[in-house]
Amino acid sequence: MTTTRRKFLTTGAVGAAAAGLAAPARAQDTIKWRLQTYAGPALAEEVVKPAIEAFNTIANGQMEIELYTADQLVPTSELFRAMQAGTIDAVQSDDDSMASPTEVTVFGGYFPLALRYSLDVPALFNSWGLKEIWEEEYAKVGIKHISAGSWDPCNFNMKEPINSLADLKGKRVFTFPTAGRFLAQFGVIPVTLPWEDVEVALQTGELDGLAWSGITEDYTAGWSKVAPYFLTNNISGAWIGHFFANMERWDALPAHLQQLLQTCFDQSHYRRQWWYWAGEAKLRVEGTDMTLTSLPDADYAQIEAAAQKFWEEIAAESPLKAKVVEIIKKYNDTMVKAGQPYRYG
C-alpha cells in the first residue's frame, strides 16, 4: 500500500520528462509524510489509495505520502494520539474510531439517522456550518481538519437473518462506539476488534454480525461470504469520515502543497460518492452472496423514534453538542419540507 522511494523517483522522473515538466526535486529535499487510514488493505484500495497516488504524482517529487492501512503503524483507537504527537503526519478516519478527545467526536462515524443520503454530509459541512465547527475544535488540540466526506450507509450484515427488532437481541455486533451505544437499547452487544480480525471472528462465532458498513464494503472486505444476510434498513444513510493532519506539519508545508492536499482529498470524497452509490444498488440487485431482509415498518419506526431521543440525550451533554444537534435537526426539517427527491415519505 506504500509508494516506495525507488518506485516514486523512477516513475516520477519518467512522467515529468514525458510531460515536459520540471525534474523532480532531489530525494533529500522531498517532504515525506506518513498517513494511516482506518481501512483495511482491500477497502483502502478504493477509498484512499487513488487519492494518495494522484497526490504523489502531481507533487512531482516535492512531497511524498506513504500510505498505511488499518492498525499497520498504530491501532486505530490510537490514531489521534499518534497524529497529535507527530508519530504519524496525517489520518483518514472518523472521529469516533480514532478516539478523538473533542466535543464533536460523537458525531463522527454513524450518528444515528442524522443522514439519509451521502450528499447530506458535504451539504452539512460546506453549507450548514459544520466545517467551521470541526476546524475550530481540532485546532484547539493541535490538529488540522482538512476535509469531511461521506462513505457508505450503516446496515447490518449478519450470520443469521434479521426480520424483526427482536432478532437483534443478544447479537454480538462489530460496530462503531456511538452506533454501539445507540444500538445497545435494542439488545445488541457492541464489540470492538481490529479490522483485520473481523472475518475470523465471524467464522469462529465471536461475532454474530456487523453494523459497520453498507453492502459495497461487505463484498469488498469479503464479509458477504461469512455473514450472508443483509438488512436493508440502515441506522445512518452515510458515514462521516475525515482527513486530518498534525497542525505543525501542515503549517510547515508551502501553500501550493496544502492546496494540492486539499484538492486531492476533495477528489477522494467525490470518488467515494459514486463508488458507493453505484455499488450499494448494484450489489443489492446483482450480488450473489447475500440474502436481503427488511424490518416491518413498525419496527423501523421504533428505531427512528429512538434516534430522535438519542439526539436530545447528546444535545444535553454540552452547549456545543446542542449546537450541532440543532443544525442536524434544522437540516433534516428543511429536507423533509423540500419533499422529493430530498426526502421521501
Side-chain angles (χ1 to χ4, degrees), residues 161-171 186-187 295-296 299 302:
I162 301 298
N163 294 299
S164 70
L165 272 179
D167 291 338
L168 289 174
K169 291 181 180 178
K171 296 294 191 294
F186 302 108
L295 295 175
D299 280 16
Q302 290 183 48

Side-chain angles (χ1 to χ4, degrees), residues 33-291:
W33 270 26
R34 299 194 297 178
L35 182 149
Q36 184 170 311
T37 177
Y38 74 97
L43 183 58
E45 287 282 338
E46 299 289 349
V47 301
V48 67
K49 187 179 179 183
I52 301 304
E53 290 180 336
F55 177 87
N56 287 341
T57 299
I58 302 169
N60 197 34
Q62 295 181 23
M63 182 171 173
E64 179 183 349
I65 298 175
E66 295 178 343
L67 176 61
Y68 296 87
T69 55
D71 307 307
Q72 197 171 358
L73 294 178
V74 298
T76 296
S77 61
E78 297 177 14
L79 277 176
F80 176 86
R81 287 184 293 173
M83 176 173 51
Q84 188 182 47
T87 306
I88 54 178
D89 304 286
V91 164
Q92 181 197 46
S93 179
D94 68 286
D95 318 72
D96 215 12
S97 297
M98 70 176 190
S100 167
T102 69
E103 286 278 339
V104 295
T105 295
V106 70
F107 302 103
Y110 292 118
F111 192 62
L113 292 176
L115 309 159
R116 296 288 179 166
Y117 308 114
S118 57
L119 273 174
D120 290 339
V121 175
L124 278 163
F125 273 82
N126 297 310
S127 297
W128 283 75
L130 294 193
K131 179 176 182 289
E132 291 76 16
I133 294 173
W134 260 249
E135 287 177 348
E136 183 176 347
E137 289 304 300
Y138 277 97
K140 293 176 183 177
V141 290
I143 298 298
K144 168 64 178 177
H145 176 263
I146 300 174
S147 63
S150 62
W151 274 251
D152 51 340
C154 186
N155 296 77
F156 284 90
N157 62 298
M158 306 292 289
K159 293 170 66 175
E160 298 178 354
I162 301 298
N163 294 299
S164 70
L165 272 179
D167 291 338
L168 289 174
K169 291 181 180 178
K171 296 294 191 294
R172 293 159 296 182
V173 175
F174 174 66
T175 190
F176 295 85
T178 298
R181 175 180 167 183
F182 172 69
L183 292 170
Q185 65 187 291
F186 302 108
V188 170
I189 302 171
V191 179
T192 301
L193 289 171
W195 194 92
E196 285 296 303
D197 294 343
V198 169
E199 185 172 350
V200 173
L202 287 165
Q203 293 170 332
T204 61
E206 184 179 354
L207 286 176
D208 298 304
L210 308 99
W212 203 85
S213 69
I215 200 168
T216 307
E217 287 190 14
D218 293 339
Y219 276 83
T220 302
W223 298 334
S224 59
K225 296 186 180 298
V226 289
Y229 293 96
F230 183 85
L231 184 63
T232 61
N233 309 90
N234 65 54
I235 62 167
S236 177
W239 187 72
I240 302 176
H242 314 264
F243 286 99
F244 304 95
N246 176 283
M247 186 68 81
E248 290 185 4
R249 304 288 166 77
W250 174 267
D251 288 343
L253 293 178
H256 72 286
L257 289 178
Q258 291 179 347
Q259 185 62 56
L260 180 57
L261 275 171
Q262 182 80 58
T263 301
C264 288
F265 291 160
D266 285 348
Q267 173 65 21
S268 180
H269 294 316
Y270 171 67
R271 185 185 189 278
R272 284 191 310 277
Q273 286 271 334
W274 55 258
W275 185 66
Y276 279 118
W277 187 256
E280 296 301 302
K282 186 174 183 179
L283 288 169
R284 284 192 185 198
V285 176
E286 300 180 6
T288 57
D289 292 347
M290 306 193 80
T291 300

